[in-house]
Amino acid sequence: MEDTPPIQVMVIPVTQFQQNCSLIWDPQSMRGTVIDPGGDVARIQEAIGKHDVNVENIVLTHGHIDHVGGAADLAAALGVPVEGPHEADKPLIDRVADQAVQFDVSDVKPVTPDRWMVEGDKVEIAGRSFDVLHCPGHSPGHLVFFDEELRFAISGDVLFAGSIGRTDLPGGDHDTLIRSIQEKMLPLGDDVSFIPGHGQASTIGQERETNPFLT
Ligand SMILES: [Zn+2]
Ligand SMILES: [Zn+2]
């Protein structure tokens, strides 16, 4: 018998911000989830079609335009619900048109999530149950998703390889962000790998040891 990995992850950089939209699926059941479709919806749909993934939901880490800008269009095209972020990001999501002007992005439609999530919730990603962690600081309603068994997390703009999320945008707060990382992300364990919202993947251990914002 061949070993089939429990999940496949395809990172699709979208928008001028090179945001890591992730298509995650179970290669056996082909059940899948799109995380943070910030834009370039046609390219995301192309990836879904190429791998023949049955996308069941769209999951959002937070309300910034590079993460949510394509959510309404993709949800409509696929006929799937949008889950997340935490309701504290509702003001950001409600102002997505203003964000579009501020960052000179076109073709953005407002999105209304079907479900807000809070700390301790579970969310289905590729048919697996992920823990929902509320990690404010970069934005007030930012969520991180964690699969304990796979030792795998989706960190959005909380923690990056070698950096952390910016805190100069509305609702951002540096001390709150550091606390979220120290109290929620680092305890997940050094062996946990994660995909951030921008740039390369990393591990908690790598960041604990070398990230200049944490050492
Ligand atoms: Zn952001
Ligand atoms: Zn971002």
Side-chain angles (χ1 to χ4, degrees), residues 158-178:
V158 172
L159 182 62
F160 300 119
S163 189
I164 60 173
R166 59 191 282 190
T167 51
D168 59 328
L169 294 167
D173 183 75
H174 181 80
D175 292 346
T176 304
L177 179 62
I178 294 294

Side-chain angles (χ1 to χ4, degrees), residues 137-152:
H138 171 70
S139 74
H142 199 303
L143 301 177
V144 167
F145 309 110
F146 175 53
D147 186 319
E148 184 165 15
E149 190 189 349
L150 291 183
R151 316 302 295 156
F152 171 66

Side-chain angles (χ1 to χ4, degrees), residues 39-204:
D40 299 323
V41 169
R43 269 207 289 134
I44 300 169
Q45 286 182 285
E46 198 180 290
I48 294 168
K50 183 175 163 210
H51 296 283
D52 206 18
V53 179
N54 177 27
V55 172
E56 297 180 326
N57 56 350
I58 291 168
V59 172
L60 304 177
T61 61
H62 67 295
H64 286 150
I65 191 166
D66 52 326
H67 297 255
V68 308
D73 277 345
L74 189 63
L78 300 175
V80 299
V82 176
E83 301 183 87
H86 186 286
E87 198 165 8
D89 266 12
K90 186 171 188 297
L92 283 174
I93 291 202
D94 287 345
R95 286 200 308 265
V96 80
D98 296 340
Q99 292 188 55
V101 172
Q102 183 185 356
F103 294 106
D104 193 22
V105 181
S106 55
D107 287 337
V108 167
K109 287 203 188 71
V111 62
T112 306
D114 296 279
R115 175 193 177 200
W116 303 106
M117 292 189 275
V118 298
E119 172 84 19
D121 276 353
K122 304 273 189 186
V123 63
E124 294 249 313
I125 295 175
R128 299 179 62 89
S129 180
F130 277 64
D131 296 330
V132 174
L133 311 173
H134 183 205
C135 297
H138 171 70
S139 74
H142 199 303
L143 301 177
V144 167
F145 309 110
F146 175 53
D147 186 319
E148 184 165 15
E149 190 189 349
L150 291 183
R151 316 302 295 156
F152 171 66
I154 297 153
S155 75
D157 289 357
V158 172
L159 182 62
F160 300 119
S163 189
I164 60 173
R166 59 191 282 190
T167 51
D168 59 328
L169 294 167
D173 183 75
H174 181 80
D175 292 346
T176 304
L177 179 62
I178 294 294
R179 207 176 318 124
S180 286
I181 295 169
Q182 301 280 10
E183 295 178 2
K184 302 276 181 71
M185 290 210 65
L186 297 189
L188 298 180
D190 283 354
D191 61 325
V192 169
S193 60
F194 69 90
I195 295 180
H198 305 263
Q200 299 294 314
S202 185
T203 65
I204 296 293

Side-chain angles (χ1 to χ4, degrees), residues 1-20:
M1 244 181 75
E2 255 181 81
D3 270 352
T4 313
I7 57 167
Q8 299 261 338
V9 180
M10 184 186 180
V11 172
I12 309 154
V14 294
T15 79
Q16 58 177 299
F17 304 100
Q18 292 290 294
Q19 196 276 121
N20 290 336

